[in-house]
Amino acid sequence: MPLLSQNKRIERVNSTAELFSRFPHLKDGAQQFVSRTAEPVDPKHLLYIQQREFAVTTPADNSVSILGSDDATTCHLVVLRHTGSGVTCLAHCDGSSTWTEVPLIINAVTSSSSSSTVKDGRLELHLVGGFDDDRRISHSLSLNILAAFHKQKEEIHLETCCITDMNDVIKEGIHRPVVYGIGVNVKTGHVFPASFTCRGPAEELRSARTFSGGEMVEVYDSARELVKIDPCRWTPNEDMAFWLTQDDETILQYLSTSPYAEPPHFVHHIKSTIQFLLEHPTADALFPDDQPQFYSRMEDGRWKRV
């Protein structure tokens, strides 16, 4: 089935400019979206999604009210929601494997929705991320994500499309994203620009998995309301210590897809991830008996390992 907007089929496009030219209401919606101030999200209600992760939950979840993610420069943040069941997914896609990631996202929502007593409704899609970067990484990812959703058998309605050229601003002569992060209220389906002070639980472990080449994974068991981190693998690499001695500019140039557009904490995040990998040359001891790590929401709102 096709990707739709206002019940009109979205054919394959060769550029995001062509998409917004054909569907000016999407352009208007993107302009409204970037004009909004990022809302700070209370960590007590948040499940934070890191790069190459996704999570799915329902309005009945007592532990999570907001799914959120940020630090998206060339990356895209994808929200898919079934309007009948309220089942909601948020994914942080970096282009590493778009054509396999999109079916994972759709299956996660449709399988959870099929078990719901509410059958009526439709799948609604919200895309936010990217900017007009010099290497056009954002542009390619935008087109690939749209094409991947277009190829699925399900009928999907594109509601928000704040991507690439519509999420771009020039500051001091440098292109940057306007919106770096979003949240989605799983009770209402409201999608909004967002900022976060907490990116856990197990922030460094999850970052290490992605930094070491891990593929897209689901990080939440909504039936048990537990964050679930499956066993992952990496090999010892003492050469990484080299990066801890480098200045910020060098790290940005070599370890970022968009060195002039990264948020201020990017270098610290990279160094803390590398330090974690050096302190844990393999992940074996982090997953005793090859079992996942689980985290439960405590009464004070923190995630605690269980």
PDB file of all heavy atoms in Angstrom, residues 33 36 39 65-67 79 81 88 126 160 182-193:
ATOM      1  N   PHE A  33       6.115  23.472  13.045  1.00  0.00           N
ATOM      2  CA  PHE A  33       6.818  22.610  13.997  1.00  0.00           C
ATOM      3  C   PHE A  33       8.132  23.252  14.448  1.00  0.00           C
ATOM      4  O   PHE A  33       8.440  23.290  15.646  1.00  0.00           O
ATOM      5  CB  PHE A  33       7.080  21.242  13.369  1.00  0.00           C
ATOM      6  CG  PHE A  33       7.434  20.170  14.369  1.00  0.00           C
ATOM      7  CD1 PHE A  33       6.455  19.460  15.026  1.00  0.00           C
ATOM      8  CD2 PHE A  33       8.769  19.877  14.651  1.00  0.00           C
ATOM      9  CE1 PHE A  33       6.769  18.478  15.954  1.00  0.00           C
ATOM     10  CE2 PHE A  33       9.097  18.899  15.573  1.00  0.00           C
ATOM     11  CZ  PHE A  33       8.095  18.193  16.223  1.00  0.00           C
ATOM     12  N   ARG A  36       8.184  26.126  17.132  1.00  0.00           N
ATOM     13  CA  ARG A  36       7.853  25.860  18.527  1.00  0.00           C
ATOM     14  C   ARG A  36       9.133  25.704  19.361  1.00  0.00           C
ATOM     15  O   ARG A  36      10.133  25.156  18.897  1.00  0.00           O
ATOM     16  CB  ARG A  36       6.986  24.605  18.633  1.00  0.00           C
ATOM     17  CG  ARG A  36       5.591  24.817  18.051  1.00  0.00           C
ATOM     18  CD  ARG A  36       4.953  23.546  17.555  1.00  0.00           C
ATOM     19  NE  ARG A  36       4.805  22.543  18.599  1.00  0.00           N
ATOM     20  CZ  ARG A  36       4.356  21.306  18.367  1.00  0.00           C
ATOM     21  NH1 ARG A  36       4.035  20.936  17.144  1.00  0.00           N
ATOM     22  NH2 ARG A  36       4.231  20.457  19.355  1.00  0.00           N
ATOM     23  N   GLU A  39      10.352  21.662  24.411  1.00  0.00           N
ATOM     24  CA  GLU A  39       9.811  21.495  25.755  1.00  0.00           C
ATOM     25  C   GLU A  39      10.729  20.581  26.575  1.00  0.00           C
ATOM     26  O   GLU A  39      11.056  19.477  26.131  1.00  0.00           O
ATOM     27  CB  GLU A  39       8.413  20.869  25.698  1.00  0.00           C
ATOM     28  CG  GLU A  39       7.384  21.676  24.916  1.00  0.00           C
ATOM     29  CD  GLU A  39       6.055  20.952  24.839  1.00  0.00           C
ATOM     30  OE1 GLU A  39       5.733  20.162  25.766  1.00  0.00           O
ATOM     31  OE2 GLU A  39       5.330  21.172  23.842  1.00  0.00           O
ATOM     32  N   SER A  65       5.186   7.792  29.974  1.00  0.00           N
ATOM     33  CA  SER A  65       4.211   8.690  29.349  1.00  0.00           C
ATOM     34  C   SER A  65       4.766   9.328  28.084  1.00  0.00           C
ATOM     35  O   SER A  65       4.018   9.682  27.183  1.00  0.00           O
ATOM     36  CB  SER A  65       3.793   9.801  30.321  1.00  0.00           C
ATOM     37  OG  SER A  65       3.192   9.271  31.470  1.00  0.00           O
ATOM     38  N   ILE A  66       6.107   9.487  28.043  1.00  0.00           N
ATOM     39  CA  ILE A  66       6.765  10.144  26.919  1.00  0.00           C
ATOM     40  C   ILE A  66       7.878   9.259  26.375  1.00  0.00           C
ATOM     41  O   ILE A  66       8.732   8.787  27.132  1.00  0.00           O
ATOM     42  CB  ILE A  66       7.383  11.500  27.333  1.00  0.00           C
ATOM     43  CG1 ILE A  66       6.335  12.429  27.946  1.00  0.00           C
ATOM     44  CG2 ILE A  66       8.068  12.163  26.135  1.00  0.00           C
ATOM     45  CD1 ILE A  66       5.305  12.947  26.993  1.00  0.00           C
ATOM     46  N   LEU A  67       7.861   9.027  25.074  1.00  0.00           N
ATOM     47  CA  LEU A  67       9.014   8.475  24.373  1.00  0.00           C
ATOM     48  C   LEU A  67       9.764   9.656  23.770  1.00  0.00           C
ATOM     49  O   LEU A  67       9.138  10.541  23.158  1.00  0.00           O
ATOM     50  CB  LEU A  67       8.588   7.516  23.265  1.00  0.00           C
ATOM     51  CG  LEU A  67       7.839   6.249  23.674  1.00  0.00           C
ATOM     52  CD1 LEU A  67       7.381   5.488  22.429  1.00  0.00           C
ATOM     53  CD2 LEU A  67       8.712   5.358  24.544  1.00  0.00           C
ATOM     54  N   VAL A  79       8.358   8.532  14.362  1.00  0.00           N
ATOM     55  CA  VAL A  79       7.255   8.151  15.242  1.00  0.00           C
ATOM     56  C   VAL A  79       6.171   7.511  14.378  1.00  0.00           C
ATOM     57  O   VAL A  79       5.735   8.086  13.383  1.00  0.00           O
ATOM     58  CB  VAL A  79       6.670   9.359  15.998  1.00  0.00           C
ATOM     59  CG1 VAL A  79       5.400   8.958  16.754  1.00  0.00           C
ATOM     60  CG2 VAL A  79       7.694   9.941  16.951  1.00  0.00           C
ATOM     61  N   ARG A  81       2.353   5.640  14.916  1.00  0.00           N
ATOM     62  CA  ARG A  81       1.304   5.429  15.912  1.00  0.00           C
ATOM     63  C   ARG A  81       0.042   4.919  15.249  1.00  0.00           C
ATOM     64  O   ARG A  81      -0.348   5.382  14.163  1.00  0.00           O
ATOM     65  CB  ARG A  81       1.006   6.739  16.650  1.00  0.00           C
ATOM     66  CG  ARG A  81      -0.011   6.619  17.785  1.00  0.00           C
ATOM     67  CD  ARG A  81      -0.101   7.934  18.545  1.00  0.00           C
ATOM     68  NE  ARG A  81      -0.916   7.805  19.748  1.00  0.00           N
ATOM     69  CZ  ARG A  81      -2.232   8.047  19.792  1.00  0.00           C
ATOM     70  NH1 ARG A  81      -2.871   8.423  18.686  1.00  0.00           N
ATOM     71  NH2 ARG A  81      -2.894   7.911  20.920  1.00  0.00           N
ATOM     72  N   THR A  88       2.313   3.178  20.136  1.00  0.00           N
ATOM     73  CA  THR A  88       3.218   4.212  19.631  1.00  0.00           C
ATOM     74  C   THR A  88       4.654   3.714  19.645  1.00  0.00           C
ATOM     75  O   THR A  88       5.108   3.107  20.612  1.00  0.00           O
ATOM     76  CB  THR A  88       3.114   5.488  20.482  1.00  0.00           C
ATOM     77  OG1 THR A  88       1.754   5.937  20.502  1.00  0.00           O
ATOM     78  CG2 THR A  88       4.000   6.594  19.930  1.00  0.00           C
ATOM     79  N   HIS A 126       5.226  10.297  11.681  1.00  0.00           N
ATOM     80  CA  HIS A 126       5.821  11.617  11.924  1.00  0.00           C
ATOM     81  C   HIS A 126       7.327  11.488  11.724  1.00  0.00           C
ATOM     82  O   HIS A 126       7.972  10.647  12.367  1.00  0.00           O
ATOM     83  CB  HIS A 126       5.514  12.098  13.338  1.00  0.00           C
ATOM     84  CG  HIS A 126       4.050  12.100  13.675  1.00  0.00           C
ATOM     85  ND1 HIS A 126       3.257  13.214  13.546  1.00  0.00           N
ATOM     86  CD2 HIS A 126       3.243  11.102  14.126  1.00  0.00           C
ATOM     87  CE1 HIS A 126       2.017  12.917  13.914  1.00  0.00           C
ATOM     88  NE2 HIS A 126       1.989  11.644  14.271  1.00  0.00           N
ATOM     89  N   THR A 160       3.424  14.421   9.924  1.00  0.00           N
ATOM     90  CA  THR A 160       4.455  15.432  10.172  1.00  0.00           C
ATOM     91  C   THR A 160       5.676  15.088   9.340  1.00  0.00           C
ATOM     92  O   THR A 160       6.115  13.935   9.330  1.00  0.00           O
ATOM     93  CB  THR A 160       4.850  15.472  11.664  1.00  0.00           C
ATOM     94  OG1 THR A 160       3.686  15.664  12.464  1.00  0.00           O
ATOM     95  CG2 THR A 160       5.854  16.582  11.932  1.00  0.00           C
ATOM     96  N   ILE A 182      12.832  15.298  19.820  1.00  0.00           N
ATOM     97  CA  ILE A 182      11.371  15.307  19.904  1.00  0.00           C
ATOM     98  C   ILE A 182      10.908  14.368  21.016  1.00  0.00           C
ATOM     99  O   ILE A 182      11.629  13.471  21.454  1.00  0.00           O
ATOM    100  CB  ILE A 182      10.684  14.879  18.591  1.00  0.00           C
ATOM    101  CG1 ILE A 182      11.019  13.412  18.245  1.00  0.00           C
ATOM    102  CG2 ILE A 182      11.046  15.815  17.448  1.00  0.00           C
ATOM    103  CD1 ILE A 182      10.185  12.847  17.102  1.00  0.00           C
ATOM    104  N   GLY A 183       9.697  14.601  21.454  1.00  0.00           N
ATOM    105  CA  GLY A 183       9.007  13.674  22.337  1.00  0.00           C
ATOM    106  C   GLY A 183       7.652  13.355  21.749  1.00  0.00           C
ATOM    107  O   GLY A 183       7.116  14.122  20.941  1.00  0.00           O
ATOM    108  N   VAL A 184       7.095  12.220  22.149  1.00  0.00           N
ATOM    109  CA  VAL A 184       5.726  11.882  21.775  1.00  0.00           C
ATOM    110  C   VAL A 184       5.007  11.406  23.028  1.00  0.00           C
ATOM    111  O   VAL A 184       5.510  10.542  23.755  1.00  0.00           O
ATOM    112  CB  VAL A 184       5.653  10.835  20.645  1.00  0.00           C
ATOM    113  CG1 VAL A 184       6.452   9.574  20.966  1.00  0.00           C
ATOM    114  CG2 VAL A 184       4.206  10.469  20.328  1.00  0.00           C
ATOM    115  N   ASN A 185       3.864  12.003  23.289  1.00  0.00           N
ATOM    116  CA  ASN A 185       3.039  11.608  24.430  1.00  0.00           C
ATOM    117  C   ASN A 185       2.272  10.353  24.048  1.00  0.00           C
ATOM    118  O   ASN A 185       1.438  10.381  23.128  1.00  0.00           O
ATOM    119  CB  ASN A 185       2.079  12.749  24.786  1.00  0.00           C
ATOM    120  CG  ASN A 185       1.301  12.484  26.059  1.00  0.00           C
ATOM    121  OD1 ASN A 185       0.771  11.391  26.262  1.00  0.00           O
ATOM    122  ND2 ASN A 185       1.209  13.483  26.914  1.00  0.00           N
ATOM    123  N   VAL A 186       2.551   9.246  24.729  1.00  0.00           N
ATOM    124  CA  VAL A 186       1.948   7.971  24.337  1.00  0.00           C
ATOM    125  C   VAL A 186       0.473   7.893  24.733  1.00  0.00           C
ATOM    126  O   VAL A 186      -0.237   6.995  24.272  1.00  0.00           O
ATOM    127  CB  VAL A 186       2.727   6.771  24.921  1.00  0.00           C
ATOM    128  CG1 VAL A 186       4.170   6.796  24.437  1.00  0.00           C
ATOM    129  CG2 VAL A 186       2.682   6.766  26.435  1.00  0.00           C
ATOM    130  N   LYS A 187       0.022   8.815  25.554  1.00  0.00           N
ATOM    131  CA  LYS A 187      -1.392   8.840  25.937  1.00  0.00           C
ATOM    132  C   LYS A 187      -2.239   9.539  24.876  1.00  0.00           C
ATOM    133  O   LYS A 187      -3.363   9.124  24.594  1.00  0.00           O
ATOM    134  CB  LYS A 187      -1.586   9.555  27.281  1.00  0.00           C
ATOM    135  CG  LYS A 187      -0.619   9.154  28.381  1.00  0.00           C
ATOM    136  CD  LYS A 187      -0.764   7.707  28.796  1.00  0.00           C
ATOM    137  CE  LYS A 187       0.180   7.408  29.971  1.00  0.00           C
ATOM    138  NZ  LYS A 187       0.146   5.973  30.357  1.00  0.00           N
ATOM    139  N   THR A 188      -1.662  10.611  24.296  1.00  0.00           N
ATOM    140  CA  THR A 188      -2.429  11.446  23.377  1.00  0.00           C
ATOM    141  C   THR A 188      -1.955  11.391  21.931  1.00  0.00           C
ATOM    142  O   THR A 188      -2.686  11.787  21.015  1.00  0.00           O
ATOM    143  CB  THR A 188      -2.365  12.908  23.838  1.00  0.00           C
ATOM    144  OG1 THR A 188      -1.007  13.384  23.717  1.00  0.00           O
ATOM    145  CG2 THR A 188      -2.824  13.048  25.294  1.00  0.00           C
ATOM    146  N   GLY A 189      -0.700  10.969  21.716  1.00  0.00           N
ATOM    147  CA  GLY A 189      -0.129  10.973  20.374  1.00  0.00           C
ATOM    148  C   GLY A 189       0.502  12.295  19.982  1.00  0.00           C
ATOM    149  O   GLY A 189       1.012  12.433  18.863  1.00  0.00           O
ATOM    150  N   HIS A 190       0.515  13.255  20.890  1.00  0.00           N
ATOM    151  CA  HIS A 190       1.082  14.579  20.595  1.00  0.00           C
ATOM    152  C   HIS A 190       2.595  14.481  20.403  1.00  0.00           C
ATOM    153  O   HIS A 190       3.314  13.949  21.254  1.00  0.00           O
ATOM    154  CB  HIS A 190       0.761  15.530  21.752  1.00  0.00           C
ATOM    155  CG  HIS A 190       1.379  16.886  21.641  1.00  0.00           C
ATOM    156  ND1 HIS A 190       1.180  17.716  20.555  1.00  0.00           N
ATOM    157  CD2 HIS A 190       2.210  17.576  22.488  1.00  0.00           C
ATOM    158  CE1 HIS A 190       1.851  18.839  20.727  1.00  0.00           C
ATOM    159  NE2 HIS A 190       2.489  18.777  21.882  1.00  0.00           N
ATOM    160  N   VAL A 191       3.084  14.998  19.261  1.00  0.00           N
ATOM    161  CA  VAL A 191       4.516  15.005  18.950  1.00  0.00           C
ATOM    162  C   VAL A 191       5.014  16.444  19.039  1.00  0.00           C
ATOM    163  O   VAL A 191       4.390  17.359  18.495  1.00  0.00           O
ATOM    164  CB  VAL A 191       4.779  14.437  17.537  1.00  0.00           C
ATOM    165  CG1 VAL A 191       6.267  14.458  17.211  1.00  0.00           C
ATOM    166  CG2 VAL A 191       4.233  13.012  17.427  1.00  0.00           C
ATOM    167  N   PHE A 192       6.156  16.659  19.700  1.00  0.00           N
ATOM    168  CA  PHE A 192       6.601  18.025  19.971  1.00  0.00           C
ATOM    169  C   PHE A 192       8.125  18.100  20.041  1.00  0.00           C
ATOM    170  O   PHE A 192       8.790  17.119  20.394  1.00  0.00           O
ATOM    171  CB  PHE A 192       6.008  18.514  21.302  1.00  0.00           C
ATOM    172  CG  PHE A 192       6.313  17.615  22.477  1.00  0.00           C
ATOM    173  CD1 PHE A 192       7.404  17.859  23.306  1.00  0.00           C
ATOM    174  CD2 PHE A 192       5.511  16.509  22.757  1.00  0.00           C
ATOM    175  CE1 PHE A 192       7.690  17.040  24.382  1.00  0.00           C
ATOM    176  CE2 PHE A 192       5.796  15.677  23.835  1.00  0.00           C
ATOM    177  CZ  PHE A 192       6.882  15.939  24.650  1.00  0.00           C
ATOM    178  N   PRO A 193       8.710  19.270  19.696  1.00  0.00           N
ATOM    179  CA  PRO A 193      10.147  19.456  19.910  1.00  0.00           C
ATOM    180  C   PRO A 193      10.445  19.356  21.402  1.00  0.00           C
ATOM    181  O   PRO A 193       9.700  19.882  22.229  1.00  0.00           O
ATOM    182  CB  PRO A 193      10.401  20.885  19.400  1.00  0.00           C
ATOM    183  CG  PRO A 193       9.243  21.183  18.494  1.00  0.00           C
ATOM    184  CD  PRO A 193       8.070  20.455  19.080  1.00  0.00           C
TER     185      PRO A 193
END
